[in-house]
């Protein structure tokens, strides 16, 4: 098995890292504190072709896959500039439209996703459903050739930056299983009957969160993505990439935190020698470094598995679990290394704790990952 990255992937890491380094942690912290998007970095990455690196070349993209997109996500985070919008727009929406969109949808949406001028965010989460997507209450009913969408979504990221939403809605019930049949719809963010209400959160994030209210929002048949009623199968083609890129983001956060912590531990002297010479400081950082490298390996495996067209559910979930734990552990160790300075604005570590903590919950919480592994990897009885 070959573990060394090809030269072109190494070059991608270096180039993306150099771009993000021009902005860095202070830039991120300032924007996160004001809940303002990293517009300048997004635009520069887009000009370099990195936002749409996984979009097919015929639509203006880079023609790569999740391996390449995961590297972009990891490297910007490793320079202190993680962006959640890459997960929902580039990873979910671009992947789903590429796989299930008809030729007209691909031509309409993919060029904008490729050059970064358009963002399509994903809307599945609901107040009454949680992790049980079969309980989704948002419905879409036919009226002539059109569809009318009604319901509520919440914790939807970046609606204020997006041109459209990819909405998961109930369109029927399976007669055999009794479970909901779901479908995917592209809904312009300025559609009549759609209200986006900011959802305040304490986490310091550049991306704002929203609750969405759909009141008979009308969309035409050209806005249905893929097959009506087959939404769940289609959604998971996007959810695995979201988990993979989320894992890559976490690996980058961990690398950034460890870089800041080791620099501080080498410089800070209290008892004649740098504090990094003491095992009480060095061992937590070493543990975090090991966990980060293990998570990075699993993330690369998951991305490769998806790109190879192989079942990627197990590896995607494992990567997301391992990377979120590694990121949270690394940020916590970095804060502890800094002592009281770990909470100061000057050192800028707290925003990454909030994001790492969020990614332990979303896009799938650690408990549901453990349920998946117990059932599908170990063959244990379903527990929920």
């Amino acid at each position: 098995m070959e573990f060394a990255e090809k030269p072109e992937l190494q070059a991608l890491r270096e180039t993306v890292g150099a771009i993000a380094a021009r902005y860095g942690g202070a830039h991120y912290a300032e924007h996160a504190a004001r809940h303002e998007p990293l517009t300048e970095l997004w635009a520069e990455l887009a000009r370099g072709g990195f936002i749409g690196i996984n979009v097919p070349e015929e639509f203006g993209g880079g023609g790569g896959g999740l391996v390449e997109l995961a590297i972009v996500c990891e490297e910007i985070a490793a320079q202190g500039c993680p962006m959640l919008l890459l997960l929902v727009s580039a990873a979910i929406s671009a992947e789903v439209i590429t796989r299930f969109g008809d030729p007209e949808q691909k031509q309409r949406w993919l060029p904008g996703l490729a050059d970064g001028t358009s963002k399509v965010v994903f809307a599945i989460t609901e107040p009454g459903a949680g992790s049980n997507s079969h309980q989704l209450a948002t419905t879409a009913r036919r009226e002539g050739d059109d569809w009318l969408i009604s319901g509520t979504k919440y914790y939807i990221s970046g609606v204020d930056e997006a041109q459209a939403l990819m909405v998961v809605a109930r369109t029927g019930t399976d007669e055999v299983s009794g479970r909901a049949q779901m479908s995917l719809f592209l809904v312009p963010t300025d559609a009549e009957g759609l209200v986006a209400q900011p959802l305040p959160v304490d986490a310091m994030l550049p991306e704002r969160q929203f609750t969405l209210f759909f009141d008979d929002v009308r969309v035409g048949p050209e806005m249905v993505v893929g097959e009506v009623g087959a939404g769940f199968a289609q959604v998971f083609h996007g959810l695995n990439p979201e988990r993979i890129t989320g894992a890559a983001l976490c690996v980058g956060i961990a690398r950034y935190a460890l870089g800041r912590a080791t620099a501080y531990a080498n410089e800070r002297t209290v008892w004649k020698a740098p504090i990094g010479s003491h095992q009480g400081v060095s061992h937590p950082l070493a543990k975090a470094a090991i966990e980060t490298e293990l998570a990075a390996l699993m993330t690369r495996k998951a991305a490769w598995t998806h790109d190879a067209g192989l079942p990627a559910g197990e590896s995607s979930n494992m990567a997301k679990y391992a990377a979120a734990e590694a990121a949270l552990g690394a940020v916590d160790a970095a804060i502890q290394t800094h002592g009281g300075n770990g909470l100061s604005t000057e050192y800028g570590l707290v925003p990454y704790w909030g994001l790492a903590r969020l990614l332990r919950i979303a896009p799938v919480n650690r408990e549901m990952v453990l349920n998946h592994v117990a059932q599908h990897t170990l063959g244990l009885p379903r527990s929920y």
Side-chain angles (χ1 to χ4, degrees), residues 26-250:
H27 180 83
Y28 177 85
E30 291 170 3
H31 284 68
R34 297 193 298 262
H35 298 293
E36 294 179 354
L38 303 178
T39 305
E40 298 91 344
L41 175 56
W42 181 279
E44 188 167 351
L45 290 170
R47 285 194 296 272
F50 303 117
I51 296 294
I53 198 166
N54 60 316
V55 174
E57 290 181 343
E58 63 185 292
F59 300 106
L66 257 292
V67 168
E68 288 81 6
L69 183 58
I71 287 174
V72 174
C73 291
E74 180 184 338
E75 291 306 317
I76 61 171
Q79 298 300 327
C81 295
M83 289 192 290
L84 288 176
L85 261 293
L86 277 175
L87 277 57
V88 292
S89 188
I92 298 180
S93 299
E95 288 287 315
V96 170
I97 293 172
T98 297
R99 174 70 178 273
F100 298 105
D102 60 35
E104 290 76 16
Q105 289 171 342
K106 292 178 183 179
Q107 192 59 56
R108 177 178 177 182
W109 297 102
L110 289 179
L113 291 172
D115 66 16
T117 58
S118 294
K119 298 172 186 174
V120 179
V121 299
F122 188 60
I124 185 172
T125 307
E126 295 185 4
S131 296
N132 187 359
S133 297
H134 292 288
Q135 294 294 321
L136 293 183
T138 297
T139 61
R141 70 181 192 280
R142 289 185 187 271
E143 185 174 88
D145 291 334
D146 293 342
W147 292 86
L148 298 179
I149 302 173
S150 296
T152 303
K153 302 287 184 182
Y154 83 153
Y155 284 106
I156 309 304
S157 301
V159 176
D160 55 332
E161 303 177 55
Q163 285 64 52
L165 314 164
M166 183 174 288
V167 179
V168 185
R170 178 190 295 257
T171 51
T173 303
D174 186 274
E175 295 180 358
V176 177
S177 67
R179 289 185 169 183
Q181 293 177 327
M182 301 294 178
S183 303
L184 300 181
F185 299 87
L186 289 165
V187 179
T189 51
D190 61 356
E192 184 177 353
L194 171 62
V195 175
Q197 179 178 306
L199 196 165
V201 296
D202 285 336
M204 295 170 62
L205 303 170
E207 300 85 1
R208 294 177 184 269
Q209 306 299 309
F210 290 84
T211 301
L212 304 178
F213 301 95
F214 297 82
D215 184 9
D216 281 348
V217 175
R218 182 182 296 272
V219 295
E222 74 280 2
M223 305 302 266
V224 179
V225 181
E227 181 183 349
V228 172
F232 266 126
Q234 295 163 187
V235 161
F236 275 94
H237 186 76
L239 292 185
N240 285 333
E242 183 187 29
R243 291 167 191 183
I244 294 166
T245 50
L249 210 68
C250 286

